[in-house]
Amino acid sequence: MSNSSPRKQYRITLLPGDGIGSEIMAVAVAVLKQVGEPLGIGFEFQEALMGGAAIDATGNPLPEATLETCRNSDAVLLAAIGGYKWDTLPRHQRPETGLLGLRAGLGLFANLRPAKILPQLVEASSLKREVVEGVDIMVVRELTGGIYFGQPKGIFTTETGEQRGVNTMVYSESEIDRIGRVAFETARKRGGKLCSVDKANVLDVSQLWRDRMTQMATEYPDIELSHLYVDNAAMQLIRAPKQFDTIVTGNLFGDILSDAAAMLTGSIGMLPSASLGASNPGLFEPVHGSAPDIAGQDKANPIAQVLSAAMMMRYGLDEPEAANRIEAAVMQVLDAGYRTGDIMSEGMKLVGCQEMGAALLQVLS
Ligand code: NAD
């Protein structure tokens, strides 16, 4: 198929953000172009401001124009936002507030975070080889509800003049059911096992969560549903992570457990994520932050960004062949010994962000 007449054309909003964002985004865009061409897939990329860069330009971490551009696209590819410079701003002006606004503005209620141990990087994990070898977990985290959004919230002054900080953990049936369905469907495409994580021994909101998951399981007889309390789940993730296939949990627990699962793999520079809504464009981004300590030094590992682009092709645009090719290219460059500093080990070839990108393009060509 010729490059001049792509079979499909996708509008992708790029949010390079801050820190290493533009370096790793450049690699992902080059990879997408390269993988798309022979498959007849064309891209119309439009870049928009987000995070600290947007604060500097407009005073707002998520300008309305950016949200509008995102809404009008088929998918949104984000790099990372934030940095020391903006860490002391009031909360509503922080880069992270822009991220919460983007998720809410696009109705992205499901966050999918794979934590898969690649055979080439088993040694990068801080856990023993026999514990982590073969780990392949998908954490499905609820993203727009729970304690991060529940009302009332804020810092209030009581009648006695004392300050009280308040957040509210709240889930309605419909919120639980829609994330539950994403999780059951995801488990169905994977190993058929779903572990729901809650704190039903203490929290009423968790009891409702558990009741709904149990109820929903009757509609998915092929999926083996189990439940764990979040404290036990944290222990089991470190003790015997291979017992998990797909995990579903609320916003706060998912925030913490997905980071713990991520670290089983040893490098945060390798991990992609997808955030999905009912029908809106999905958001695809690496798990890591903007790594201000290495920004502008050509040291960043672009693989999490590249694998986020692969998740975009698979879950956002339903182009599994493109996703397969990107993932295969990543395996090939790792097999060939290419390593950025964060995943470097003895006998491997140390490369920078650009050289890693060039190696990916070469195996794709
Ligand atoms: P971080 O993920 O940016 O960095 C943690 C460590 O991992 C650093 O040593 C960094 O150099 C390294 N690292 C991260 N990504 C890497 C990559 N691709 N290649 C090589 N090394 C990599 O987390 P942090 O230092 O806690 O936060 C830095 C900034 O990023 C903060 O402002 C924070 O708020 C923000 N942040 C943003 C996101 C996001 O955009 N979703 C997520 C987490 C943190």
Side-chain angles (χ1 to χ4, degrees):
M1 213 170 290
S2 92
N3 183 30
S4 54
S5 57
R7 166 176 64 82
K8 282 223 175 117
Q9 183 84 17
Y10 295 110
R11 288 181 120 205
I12 310 296
T13 300
L14 303 176
L15 305 173
D18 308 311
I20 59 170
S22 54
E23 300 168 58
I24 57 177
M25 186 66 92
V27 173
V29 167
V31 163
L32 281 170
K33 285 181 183 162
Q34 183 97 344
V35 86
E37 195 189 319
L39 293 171
I41 299 170
F43 297 100
E44 186 191 319
F45 294 109
Q46 38 207 342
E47 206 171 296
L49 283 172
M50 163 97 188
I55 295 171
D56 287 350
T58 70
N60 180 350
L62 178 65
E64 189 50 43
T66 294
L67 189 53
E68 211 38 50
T69 306
C70 293
R71 283 199 180 113
N72 291 326
S73 56
D74 296 308
V76 180
L77 191 59
L78 168 68
I81 52 157
Y84 314 128
K85 184 178 169 189
W86 305 282
D87 277 351
T88 52
L89 288 172
R91 186 167 306 283
H92 70 280
Q93 281 178 355
R94 294 251 190 99
E96 293 80 358
T97 305
L99 200 52
L100 295 181
L102 186 61
R103 289 170 182 166
L106 294 178
L108 306 173
F109 63 83
N111 185 222
L112 271 60
R113 278 180 52 168
K116 187 172 177 175
I117 299 273
L118 302 181
Q120 301 92 337
L121 299 179
V122 171
E123 302 303 336
S125 178
S126 54
L127 298 189
K128 293 186 199 116
R129 171 183 277 273
E130 59 268 29
V131 176
V132 292
E133 203 161 35
V135 162
D136 182 356
I137 301 172
M138 179 73 85
V139 179
V140 179
R141 165 189 170 196
E142 200 289 327
L143 206 55
T144 50
I147 196 164
Y148 290 3
F149 293 93
Q151 294 289 346
K153 62 190 280 186
I155 299 174
F156 304 98
T157 307
T158 66
E159 284 169 5
T160 62
E162 189 188 22
Q163 289 199 308
R164 287 185 79 209
V166 178
N167 290 91
T168 305
M169 191 184 274
V170 53
Y171 275 114
S172 61
E173 273 182 337
S174 55
E175 283 175 306
I176 300 168
D177 288 3
R178 67 180 185 175
I179 189 71
R181 286 190 200 293
V182 171
F184 277 103
E185 296 291 342
T186 303
R188 186 170 266 171
K189 290 185 198 138
R190 294 172 41 85
K193 279 171 62 188
L194 179 63
C195 179
S196 173
V197 173
D198 60 41
K199 190 70 184 166
N201 50 342
V202 179
L203 300 173
D204 297 315
V205 56
S206 278
Q207 187 59 55
L208 180 64
W209 178 283
R210 188 173 282 223
D211 293 347
R212 292 308 306 169
M213 290 291 165
T214 305
Q215 173 67 35
M216 245 182 288
T218 60
E219 295 170 41
Y220 297 88
D222 51 323
I223 306 299
E224 183 192 319
L225 175 71
S226 60
H227 304 273
L228 277 184
Y229 299 134
V230 63
D231 41 345
N232 190 14
M235 283 197 289
Q236 296 300 329
L237 262 180
I238 310 301
R239 191 185 72 84
K242 273 182 259 187
Q243 68 185 285
F244 294 107
D245 170 39
T246 306
I247 293 175
V248 61
T249 189
N251 206 342
L252 172 64
F253 303 153
D255 194 357
I256 299 163
L257 289 184
S258 55
D259 267 16
M263 276 325 289
L264 297 173
T265 67
S267 174
I268 196 149
M270 299 290 300
L271 296 164
S273 76
S275 302
L276 308 172
S279 60
N280 291 323
L283 173 69
F284 303 86
E285 57 178 317
V287 165
H288 61 72
S290 57
D293 53 330
I294 56 166
Q297 301 170 36
D298 193 32
K299 285 183 181 165
N301 183 350
I303 291 180
Q305 185 73 64
V306 168
L307 291 176
S308 300
M311 285 191 93
M312 177 178 88
M313 299 313 293
R314 188 183 306 284
Y315 294 102
L317 305 177
D318 202 17
E319 295 281 0
E321 181 53 28
N324 290 341
R325 289 189 188 189
I326 296 172
E327 287 161 1
V330 168
M331 296 301 273
Q332 261 180 279
V333 297
L334 293 174
D335 279 337
Y338 290 92
R339 300 284 189 276
T340 44
D342 57 314
I343 52 172
M344 184 60 190
S345 60
E346 213 184 318
M348 298 295 143
K349 180 176 162 47
L350 180 65
V351 294
C353 183
Q354 290 186 25
E355 202 178 342
M356 184 61 100
L360 286 165
L361 294 183
Q362 188 166 12
V363 300
L364 282 168
S365 66

